[in-house]
Amino acid sequence: MSGLVATLKGICSEREGRLGLAFTCLILVFALAGPLVSPDPNVIDVKARFAAPGLAHLLGTDNLGRDLLARTSAGTRYALTLAVMIVVISSVIGSLIGIVAGIAGGWVDRAVTAVFDIVNAFPPLILAFALIALYGKGSATFVLLVTVVFIPQFGRMARARAQTLRNLSFIEAERMLAVHPVTIVVRHYLPNVAGPIIVLASMNLPVVIAFEASLSFLGFGVQPPKSSLGTLIKDGFISINQSWWPTVASALVLAIATLGATLLGEALRRVIDPKTAGVR
Amino acid sequence: MSRSQRTAAFIAGRLASVVLTIAGATLLLFLMVRLVPGDFTSVMLGPRATPELRAQITHDMGLDRSMLEQLWLFTSRAATGDFGEDVVSHRPILDIVLDVIPNTLALAFSALALALVVGIPIGVIAALRPGSWLDNGLALLSISLITTPTLVVSVILFLIFAIGLHWLPVAGAGDPGDLVDRLRHLILPSVALALGWVGYISRLVRAALLDTLAELHVRTLRAYGVSEYRIVGLYALKLALVPVVSILGIGLGDLIGSSVVVEIIFARPGIGSLIFNSIAQRNFPVVQACVVFIVAFYIVANLVVDMINALLDPRIAAGRG
């Protein structure tokens, strides 16, 4: 708990960190409080389509007369959920693969590195495109496929850390004492890899949020009736000649979310891993 | 080893790894396509699958042969640019891809040039007055530019300049014979693509320039009374640009990737919109060819950048960079 407080203090010690925290909280409150202040996001009221922002609908309505505040809030909630899931899954899998490669060395290491290199040879959006086109849409598939795109980054980081750890004397000592390898990994590797991985994960969160939005905008991500920020921007964009407001609202929320998450991630890196902090 | 030998050895090593990576990427792509569950010809053809087309695909791709033979067939053909014939338009797939590639390259390179032309001066201005309100303001601007997704930038630019003000054309790449018209069509997409990189490059230049300005040889120049503008313009900036050059490879790949979004929003023909439309039509042979092209371009761009860097900074070739 005191660690959390210290981290928060560190984040707030600089203006960028405070700004990041403020934006992130704003987005979280917006995402979570939507259902409290606004009606059901899927209620259709065709008579009220393309209503301007007003008392009945604070953010106006879309092409089917659905309340945009409720829809944008629900979309933000879903987009954030997906992004966090993708980052968590890819960082866990990436760390495990990276640690194994770093400890094993030899051909295992070379094979893993080669696969990472090959995956990285694809521009991320293009790889996700190809995978989703071939293996289908749907939220679960989507999360898994995007995870594949992000695993190598975490894997490389964990591998590099594991390699430096492997040769340290206290780990060698435990090996001599015949401590079970899994015990060594759990007791020493995981805690030592965790710091940089958490930093990398927080830096990647805004990237994944933008990534999800782009894919959903293009129709490869979240599928109706579910909606995320990307699908909202798409829906707005299709009827942009009737009403520009829906597009701008969801685009702004997306921009604030990525800006807040980036500033917060930078601040977190400054606190946890001051050595690597610097220019992005 | 002499310096030039080391550089040559470095380049040879990079070339070898490039060939391996392209081979690996082709293999991955091949496996990705072949591991799709279900009857392969139906996956490839989707709703178009007639017995004749199935037979054509089976024959073209050697589906009646062993997996290894198929892989060889795919790789050797891809290496010579033979991706088969499109089942929709009955044109060679290579021609279809080559038709749209110039549009995407024009978009990516103009965006990159724009990002450099705007981003470097911003970085220099920020580095000359570190900690000032100007520096802080530019820092916030740069970070906002970096974090705002291309999707958001494109949509907002589209709204303001194409729909709201009617200053610039809404869609397409312009009349092929009319250079001015083509340039007018290029402005919005390339600004949309460039803005994020403006922020990124300015941050990078600022950090590298500050590092360089703190070095001993710069202090010596100052001690000799050389003016600050001369120091920055003649000596420091050159060194500060090395990290910028080294991210240009990644930059080009990223720009080509993001160009999909931009090309769709501005309804611009290009490799991004070609992939998008081909996926929508479930026309996988075309998708596959596009991906091979993009990956090869991405890898080669990185190779070229590495080589330029090795020439600029001999420490990199010596493995000490």
Side-chain angles (χ1 to χ4, degrees):
Chain A
M1 198 61 206
S2 65
L4 191 66
V5 172
T7 310
L8 271 179
K9 269 190 184 154
I11 287 173
C12 292
S13 68
E14 278 191 42
R15 197 191 39 191
E16 271 91 20
R18 285 196 295 273
L19 218 53
L21 198 61
F23 282 147
T24 309
C25 290
L26 193 71
I27 291 294
L28 282 179
V29 168
F30 177 71
L32 295 176
L36 302 178
V37 294
S38 214
D40 186 329
N42 290 319
V43 172
I44 296 175
D45 177 9
V46 183
K47 273 177 292 178
R49 64 201 299 253
F50 297 127
L55 278 181
H57 302 284
L58 288 177
L59 278 184
T61 58
D62 72 354
N63 59 337
L64 296 173
R66 295 175 293 193
D67 181 71
L68 272 170
L69 178 60
R71 287 188 70 71
T72 314
S73 166
T76 311
R77 200 159 55 238
Y78 197 53
L80 292 182
T81 313
L82 284 180
V84 169
M85 274 168 67
I86 290 167
V87 168
V88 168
I89 298 176
S90 52
S91 60
V92 169
I93 297 179
S95 306
L96 291 179
I97 297 178
I99 291 176
V100 168
I103 295 176
W107 67 268
V108 177
D109 185 34
R110 274 200 296 278
V112 168
T113 316
V115 172
F116 285 170
D117 278 349
I118 290 168
V119 173
N120 275 344
F122 291 80
L125 207 56
I126 301 294
L127 179 60
F129 247 50
L131 283 172
I132 292 165
L134 287 169
Y135 293 94
K137 300 165 180 175
S139 299
T141 329
F142 175 76
V143 168
L144 284 180
L145 294 179
V146 175
T147 301
V148 172
V149 178
F150 284 90
I151 283 177
Q153 295 186 37
F154 293 102
R156 277 165 195 272
M157 170 78 89
R159 171 180 169 270
R161 286 295 273 222
Q163 274 181 331
T164 34
L165 284 173
R166 189 178 57 173
N167 299 322
L168 295 182
S169 46
F170 72 96
I171 291 205
E172 236 168 303
E174 296 229 328
R175 260 206 308 270
M176 299 290 174
L177 291 169
V179 178
H180 195 273
V182 173
T183 316
I184 302 184
V185 166
V186 172
R187 212 186 278 163
H188 298 298
Y189 281 91
L190 286 183
N192 272 298
V193 167
I197 289 291
I198 289 173
V199 171
L200 188 63
S202 69
M203 308 284 297
N204 260 323
L205 190 63
V207 178
V208 176
I209 294 175
F211 200 76
E212 185 276 322
S214 303
L215 285 171
S216 294
F217 174 82
L218 295 171
F220 293 112
V222 173
Q223 301 298 318
K226 288 234 183 274
S227 63
S228 80
L229 289 172
T231 56
L232 286 170
I233 296 178
K234 180 177 85 174
D235 291 350
F237 197 69
I238 291 171
S239 42
I240 203 159
N241 283 316
Q242 283 95 332
S243 161
W244 53 270
W245 179 244
T247 317
V248 172
S250 39
L252 270 184
V253 173
L254 175 60
I256 295 174
T258 47
L259 177 61
T262 306
L263 291 174
L264 194 62
E266 286 277 347
L268 197 64
R269 173 161 72 161
R270 246 186 349 253
V271 177
I272 296 185
D273 202 5
K275 266 180 297 185
T276 59
V279 70
R280 237 188 74 136
Chain B
M1 263 198 301
S2 74
R3 178 181 158 183
S4 60
Q5 273 174 325
R6 264 205 305 269
T7 309
F10 171 78
I11 290 175
R14 282 289 290 125
L15 269 177
S17 84
V18 160
V19 172
L20 282 179
T21 316
I22 293 184
T26 316
L27 177 65
L28 178 66
L29 195 61
F30 175 82
L31 288 177
M32 259 162 55
V33 173
R34 295 307 148 97
L35 292 179
V36 172
D39 173 43
F40 186 70
T41 49
S42 324
V43 173
M44 286 301 249
L45 293 165
R48 282 181 304 275
T50 60
E52 296 78 46
L53 279 179
R54 277 182 204 275
Q56 190 196 328
I57 283 276
T58 308
H59 177 76
D60 279 1
M61 304 191 68
L63 292 176
D64 40 4
R65 299 187 227 174
S66 77
M67 209 59 160
L68 270 178
E69 275 179 285
Q70 289 180 37
L71 176 63
W72 168 245
L73 212 60
F74 175 68
T75 318
S76 56
R77 281 184 184 165
T80 56
D82 175 11
F83 294 96
E85 189 186 81
D86 177 25
V87 291
V88 179
S89 64
H90 298 289
R91 295 177 58 203
I93 292 177
L94 181 68
D95 289 0
I96 299 179
V97 178
L98 287 182
D99 271 355
V100 296
I101 274 188
N103 285 323
T104 303
L105 289 183
L107 178 60
F109 278 104
S110 65
L112 196 64
L114 195 64
L116 288 171
V117 167
V118 181
I120 293 175
I122 293 183
V124 173
I125 293 170
L128 287 178
R129 299 270 178 279
S132 65
W133 63 266
L134 186 62
D135 181 29
N136 287 333
L138 288 177
L140 200 61
L141 175 74
S142 304
I143 293 186
S144 310
L145 289 179
I146 295 171
T147 59
T148 309
T150 308
L151 171 64
V152 173
V153 178
S154 309
V155 165
I156 301 288
L157 285 178
F158 184 90
L159 250 175
I160 298 177
F161 293 101
I163 294 203
L165 299 169
H166 296 290
W167 283 1
L168 290 161
V170 176
D175 179 6
D178 185 348
L179 187 64
V180 177
D181 190 42
R182 291 190 75 86
L183 285 177
R184 274 169 52 83
H185 279 85
L186 189 59
I187 295 175
L188 280 183
S190 102
V191 170
L193 207 50
L195 279 183
W197 281 84
V198 167
Y200 194 50
I201 287 174
S202 71
R203 297 291 283 165
L204 211 59
V205 168
R206 176 187 179 275
L209 195 55
L210 282 179
D211 278 352
T212 316
L213 289 177
E215 277 183 33
L216 282 176
H217 65 269
V218 172
R219 225 196 289 175
T220 314
L221 286 173
R222 283 206 185 107
Y224 276 101
V226 179
S227 80
E228 196 69 23
Y229 291 96
R230 262 184 91 88
I231 293 179
V232 171
L234 282 182
Y235 308 103
L237 191 56
K238 208 174 96 187
L239 284 172
L241 289 183
V242 172
V244 175
V245 174
S246 58
I247 57 143
L248 291 186
I250 299 170
L252 270 176
D254 179 79
L255 289 174
I256 298 261
S258 310
S259 69
V260 182
V261 176
V262 175
E263 284 174 359
I264 299 296
I265 290 178
F266 294 98
R268 213 184 131 77
I271 199 153
S273 42
L274 179 61
I275 292 190
F276 179 79
N277 294 328
S278 306
I279 289 178
Q281 303 170 356
R282 299 186 62 77
N283 192 344
F284 286 113
V286 175
V287 178
Q288 209 174 20
C290 291
V291 175
V292 169
F293 262 90
I294 291 177
V295 170
F297 177 80
Y298 189 35
I299 296 174
V300 171
N302 272 303
L303 174 74
V304 171
V305 162
D306 274 0
M307 288 182 174
I308 295 176
N309 258 332
L311 295 175
L312 279 182
D313 188 346
R315 281 176 300 182
I316 294 172
R320 284 178 278 129

